[in-house]
């Protein structure tokens, strides 16, 4: 009678161990899982930044990701659970997602820097051209109202 609880515990632990590492029959590949998680991270960031705009443009963004990769939510959940139980694989997947996010961030920062330089140079050109016009125009003409002005001409 004393052995019964130990035997029950042994079978319980043994059955949990065997079931935890069996892959689902429709397992998503690691590369595709990286792509899907990358898309979800981007969506999560966009929704955090401006949820109203996101809702106006995309009706159900999560379903669009599932449609894009031709999977369903159950397949994703079972694959995600399998990879979560295999910590080394899951860690590698998230490291790859993190690298892609950092690369995307760097690309966008470079684009923003280029755009900033363009706008700064356009402002400088505009300011320089206005200053040049002021230099070219004599002082007496600068202070005189224009002919089509509302003010009376003296």
């Amino acid at each position: 009678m004393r052995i019964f609880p130990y035997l029950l515990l042994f079978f319980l632990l043994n059955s949990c161990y065997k079931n935890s590492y069996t892959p689902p029959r429709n397992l998503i590949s690691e590369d595709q899982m990286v792509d899907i998680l990358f898309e979800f991270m981007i969506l999560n960031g966009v929704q955090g930044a401006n949820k109203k705009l996101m809702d106006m443009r995309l009706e159900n963004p999560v379903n669009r990701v599932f449609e894009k990769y031709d999977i369903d939510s159950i397949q994703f959940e079972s694959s995600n659970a399998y990879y979560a139980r295999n910590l080394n694989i899951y860690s590698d997947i998230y490291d790859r997602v993190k690298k892609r996010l950092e690369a995307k961030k760097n690309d966008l920062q470079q684009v923003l820097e280029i755009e900033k330089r363009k706008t700064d140079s356009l402002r400088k050109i505009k300011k320089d051209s206005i200053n040049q016009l002021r230099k070219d125009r004599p002082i007496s003409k600068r202070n005189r109202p224009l002919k089509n002005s509302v003010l009376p001409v003296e």
Side-chain angles (χ1 to χ4, degrees), residues 54-71:
M54 182 72 168
D55 289 342
M56 284 182 355
R57 295 201 179 204
L58 292 175
E59 210 165 288
N60 195 346
V62 174
N63 282 346
R64 288 201 176 213
V65 173
F66 289 150
E67 289 171 4
K68 179 179 178 180
Y69 292 99
D70 196 30
I71 61 171

Side-chain angles (χ1 to χ4, degrees), residues 77-89:
E77 287 298 323
S78 63
S79 296
N80 194 40
Y82 170 75
Y83 288 126
R85 286 186 210 113
N86 296 299
L87 196 56
N88 293 335
I89 298 171

Side-chain angles (χ1 to χ4, degrees), residues 26-42:
N26 56 357
L27 181 68
I28 298 171
S29 70
E30 290 181 35
D31 293 333
Q32 194 173 16
M33 195 69 168
V34 168
D35 294 339
I36 294 167
L37 290 173
F38 174 77
E39 298 256 348
F40 282 152
M41 296 282 187
I42 297 290

Side-chain angles (χ1 to χ4, degrees), residues 69-127:
Y69 292 99
D70 196 30
I71 61 171
D72 59 4
S73 61
I74 296 170
Q75 183 181 4
F76 174 75
E77 287 298 323
S78 63
S79 296
N80 194 40
Y82 170 75
Y83 288 126
R85 286 186 210 113
N86 296 299
L87 196 56
N88 293 335
I89 298 171
Y90 206 53
S91 177
D92 180 52
I93 288 172
Y94 269 94
D95 287 342
R96 289 168 54 193
V97 170
K98 183 179 176 183
K99 285 178 186 174
R100 275 186 68 184
L101 286 169
E102 288 172 352
K104 186 72 166 178
K105 178 184 169 188
N106 290 338
D107 291 345
L108 291 174
Q109 283 178 336
Q110 288 176 353
V111 168
L112 287 174
E113 186 64 32
I114 290 169
E115 289 297 319
K116 183 180 176 188
R117 277 192 233 136
K118 283 182 186 176
T119 57
D120 287 348
S121 65
L122 288 175
R123 279 189 197 136
K124 188 174 187 281
I125 290 170
K126 184 177 178 183
K127 186 177 179 181

